[in-house]
Amino acid sequence: MKQFALILVIIASLFGCQNTSEDTKKQFFLPPTTTYNYVEIDSVKLFYREAGDKSKPTIVLLHGYPSSSHSYRHLIPMLATYYHVIAPDNLGSGYSTHLNPSNTTYTFDLLADYTEKLINTLEIKNYVMYMQDFGAPVGYRMMMKNPKRIEALIVQNANAYLDGLTPKRQDFFRTAQTDTSQAKYDFLYSLTGKDAIINKQYLFDLDSSNINIQSPDAWTHDLAFLSSEKDRAIQVQLFQDYNTNLIRYPKWQTMLRENQPKTLIVWGKKDLKFTADGAKAYLRDLPDAELHLLNAGHFAAEEKTKDIAKLILEFLSKNGLE
């Protein structure tokens, strides 16, 4: 009798352990690995980060000033579980080749040409385009060549309307192009220095209550690629070329109006350089665009990474881009 009872206890113990194991088994969702890659095009090397399944829709992340694809280091894994993600460094930025600005004039036409060549080399036909800051003039130049190639737009503090620039800011870009004096050059050059990158870019529109949300990794990485006079001169040349974007705004607006791309606007409403009026202005030409004004500044993807990732995933899913 004792033997039988012991057998029952053992059987119950075995089945109990099995059930407990099944009940407590956890599901883990880990992002795909990000890889760090180079492609050689026209004797220069272009760097890009890549993650996700290539059979899924592609999202191309275009970075702004003074950064590189490093600015998307947190966003990439959040998107790559569901999408194929590419984040290139502009020519002259980050790990891409920095051609000598004494021999090469840096313009947004040049950046767009090389970025398009990179995407073509990777055999990406159609894609979702995410733009921030400098990413807009690069992205819209590419889109103007073939609007139907862009399956959807994600606009994050990326101007295409004068509404988003104060009169003072508009004047800054105009004079950067027209004033060729040494004094003007020296002023533009000063904006690429350590103090300006930290305090007039990354911390510029943050208040003391949330200043610790901005990782010093961001400006430390940027400044590593702005350590020489040559590197800083590249960015000065892009400042000098920026007014060409303001001149092209009407053409970009017409293109948006005529093509009506699926558009998500996620804009840091505390941005003092590219104001929220620039976000709202998109609705004149894209009345069906989805607009979200976030409690963040110019670098919203640094401050509100999870919020932006969630909005992107929901937007693409409900628009059938899965």
Side-chain angles (χ1 to χ4, degrees):
M1 204 53 191
K2 288 182 180 179
Q3 253 182 330
F4 181 72
L6 180 61
I7 290 170
L8 288 178
V9 170
I10 293 172
I11 291 173
S13 174
L14 288 172
F15 278 100
C17 287
Q18 185 177 2
N19 289 339
T20 302
S21 177
E22 290 177 355
D23 292 342
T24 60
K25 188 176 181 181
K26 294 181 180 179
Q27 296 293 322
F28 296 100
F29 298 94
L30 302 177
T33 300
T34 298
T35 60
Y36 307 90
N37 316 276
Y38 287 94
V39 166
E40 187 165 337
I41 299 172
D42 298 341
S43 75
V44 305
K45 288 185 176 181
L46 297 180
F47 173 85
Y48 66 96
R49 299 168 194 248
E50 182 175 25
D53 185 344
K54 292 182 180 180
S55 69
K56 295 180 179 179
T58 297
I59 303 175
V60 175
L61 306 174
L62 301 179
H63 70 81
Y65 171 82
S67 192
S68 64
S69 60
H70 179 262
S71 61
Y72 298 122
R73 65 201 179 280
H74 300 311
L75 185 60
I76 290 171
M78 294 183 188
L79 301 178
T81 300
Y82 307 95
Y83 293 93
H84 176 225
V85 183
I86 295 287
D89 285 0
N90 287 335
L91 180 71
S93 292
Y95 295 110
S96 289
T97 297
H98 292 217
L99 292 172
N100 194 323
S102 297
N103 305 321
T104 300
T105 300
Y106 281 80
T107 66
F108 287 96
D109 285 341
L110 182 70
L111 302 190
D113 286 345
Y114 272 102
T115 302
E116 186 170 42
K117 286 177 181 178
L118 169 66
I119 292 171
N120 291 341
T121 300
L122 297 177
E123 299 182 343
I124 298 169
K125 185 178 179 182
N126 299 315
Y127 53 95
V128 175
M129 187 161 65
Y130 182 114
M131 304 175 294
Q132 191 262 345
D133 190 76
F134 274 13
V138 172
Y140 283 130
R141 278 168 171 76
M142 292 161 54
M143 190 174 180
M144 285 290 288
K145 292 182 179 179
N146 188 357
K148 298 304 180 185
R149 191 176 186 182
I150 308 304
E151 296 183 313
L153 282 178
I154 302 167
V155 178
Q156 190 251 295
N157 298 74
N159 251 327
Y161 295 83
L162 290 178
D163 307 56
L165 300 171
T166 64
K168 184 178 179 180
R169 195 71 178 157
Q170 293 177 40
D171 184 65
F172 166 78
F173 289 128
R174 288 196 198 96
T175 57
Q177 182 183 42
T178 59
D179 186 347
T180 59
S181 69
Q182 185 62 45
K184 187 67 173 182
Y185 182 92
D186 291 344
F187 170 68
L188 296 175
Y189 187 83
S190 73
L191 298 179
T192 66
K194 181 178 179 179
D195 179 68
I197 296 300
I198 296 174
N199 296 306
K200 294 185 179 179
Q201 288 292 328
Y202 282 103
L203 303 184
F204 187 67
D205 44 26
L206 298 183
D207 55 48
S208 57
S209 64
N210 69 340
I211 201 165
N212 64 347
I213 198 71
Q214 179 58 66
S215 169
D217 292 350
W219 62 73
T220 301
H221 186 274
D222 293 353
L223 288 168
F225 293 103
L226 289 169
S227 59
S228 73
E229 184 177 345
K230 178 189 75 171
D231 295 327
R232 294 173 67 176
I234 290 171
Q235 301 305 321
V236 170
Q237 288 186 356
L238 290 170
F239 281 148
Q240 293 170 329
D241 190 59
Y242 199 92
N243 193 51
T244 64
N245 304 321
L246 278 61
I247 294 169
R248 296 188 192 198
Y249 280 178
K251 290 183 179 180
W252 298 349
Q253 294 160 16
T254 298
M255 181 265 297
L256 293 174
R257 188 165 58 250
E258 291 177 349
N259 289 278
Q260 292 297 305
K262 298 170 183 176
T263 303
L264 170 67
I265 305 165
V266 284
W267 201 285
K269 65 182 179 181
K270 296 160 91 174
D271 190 344
L272 300 175
K273 296 179 184 294
F274 291 176
T275 70
D277 287 340
K280 298 170 188 175
Y282 275 94
L283 299 181
R284 290 202 297 267
D285 296 311
L286 299 172
D288 296 328
E290 185 175 317
L291 170 63
H292 297 270
L293 296 179
L294 307 177
N295 187 31
H298 188 67
F299 296 97
E302 292 273 1
E303 297 180 63
K304 299 287 184 180
T305 317
K306 288 195 295 184
D307 303 70
I308 289 176
K310 185 172 184 290
L311 288 169
I312 291 172
L313 295 173
E314 290 174 347
F315 172 79
L316 295 180
S317 177
K318 65 188 173 187
N319 279 281
L321 293 166
E322 297 180 293

